[in-house]
Amino acid sequence: MNIAVLGTGKVGSALGAGLASSGHHVVYGSRNPGKTPTTLSQRAAVASADVVITALPGTAVLSTLEEIGEDVLGDKIVLDPSAALTPQMTMAYYGDSVAGRVQARFPRARVVKALNTMNFTIMVDPQARLSYATVFVSGDDPAAKRTVNGLLADLGWPQEWILDLGDIGTALATEHAAPLFFATVRALQSPTFNIAVLSATATATATPRPAPSVGEL
Ligand SMILES: NC(=O)c1ccc[n+]([C@@H]2O[C@H](COP(=O)([O-])OP(=O)(O)OC[C@H]3O[C@@H](n4cnc5c(N)ncnc54)[C@H](OP(=O)(O)O)[C@@H]3O)[C@@H](O)[C@H]2O)c1
């Protein structure tokens, strides 16, 4: 697929490299285009893409997409791994989500929230360090979620580790897990961990295949 990664920081670089190594054509959209041959302006990067990854500060996602323009964004898939935090690391959009705001502002775009509940090193190689983990997916468009599930598989996520929470409204729940993430980092003194949802009943999840129960691990 043609993928535009907006942002050339830790998440953008990791996801871009991971997806490129799986055979995808990846370009980066940056405020400073030209620093590498594949680093374009944000608008040029999105124009060439099927999937747009918003690896940006959560509070910059909406304004960046506004600058790129609805004409360019169209009905592309927007995979949003961002977290909207204040400089004090509290929730910037308490009671709301970046992904929900983007979907409301750009109704033709097909927004999927995923990968925002883990460190960037886990996003691109979950099986290297974890025997089981959960990646949450939220979005309104089933086809877009199938595409994102395929990209997650390319990054090393087994399908049974992917938990489809439902529509884009459920992104609020995972975005508001940020304080849990940071509290856990402090407790473990490490960011390399992941949430793992264990189902006590085989039918309790909305995953294509049920998550393993505790006794199966
Ligand atoms: N780091 C993690 O492990 C992790 C985990 C889960 C979620 N997240 C979320 O993922 C997103 C990216 O995180 P990150 O760690 O990659 O951050 P980062 O290293 O700071 O990179 C963010 C990139 O976004 C661009 N950017 C920065 N400020 C911007 C602004 N005001 N407007 C437009 N673009 C701006 C920059 O790229 P250019 O200079 O090229 O434009 C920058 O390199 C954030 O929302 C973060 O909360 C991060």
Side-chain angles (χ1 to χ4, degrees):
M1 303 194 79
N2 291 317
I3 296 173
V5 179
L6 299 178
T8 56
K10 295 181 285 298
V11 172
S13 301
L15 291 177
L19 292 167
S21 71
S22 295
H24 296 284
H25 181 257
V26 175
V27 295
Y28 297 89
S30 173
R31 297 167 300 173
N32 302 299
K35 53 189 175 185
T36 74
T38 54
T39 307
L40 313 177
S41 71
Q42 293 164 335
R43 191 175 162 92
V46 171
S48 68
D50 308 304
V51 176
V52 179
I53 300 178
T54 49
L56 302 166
T59 49
V61 170
L62 206 49
S63 58
T64 299
L65 294 176
E66 293 276 10
E67 281 174 28
I68 290 165
E70 198 164 12
D71 56 326
V72 175
L73 188 60
D75 64 355
K76 295 176 193 295
I77 295 170
V78 177
L79 168 54
D80 176 31
S82 74
L85 301 166
T86 67
Q88 294 73 37
M89 304 301 275
T90 59
M91 302 308 300
Y93 304 148
Y94 186 72
D96 201 355
S97 69
V98 180
R101 286 178 175 219
V102 171
Q103 187 63 80
R105 170 60 188 85
F106 300 98
R108 288 177 57 218
R110 294 174 291 150
V111 182
V112 180
K113 190 86 197 184
L115 293 168
N116 54 309
T117 53
M118 66 200 70
N119 180 256
F120 69 98
T121 58
I122 305 287
M123 293 180 189
V124 295
D125 199 6
Q127 295 189 68
R129 305 183 198 201
L130 302 167
S131 58
Y132 177 60
T134 300
V135 56
F136 301 103
V137 174
S138 304
D140 292 343
D141 187 291
K145 287 197 281 194
R146 280 195 296 277
T147 297
V148 167
N149 282 3
L151 297 178
L152 293 173
D154 292 339
L155 293 170
W157 288 91
Q159 288 300 300
E160 61 270 27
W161 292 15
I162 301 171
L163 180 50
D164 183 346
L165 291 177
D167 67 22
I168 200 66
T170 62
L172 184 148
T174 61
E175 291 194 24
H176 284 60
L180 172 64
F181 178 85
F182 291 116
T184 308
V185 171
R186 286 191 294 274
L188 296 178
Q189 292 291 297
S190 167
T192 50
F193 62 89
N194 206 75
I195 294 171
V197 174
L198 302 177
S199 172
T201 64
T203 57
T205 73
T207 44
R209 282 191 283 162
S213 62
V214 180
E216 289 175 304
L217 293 175

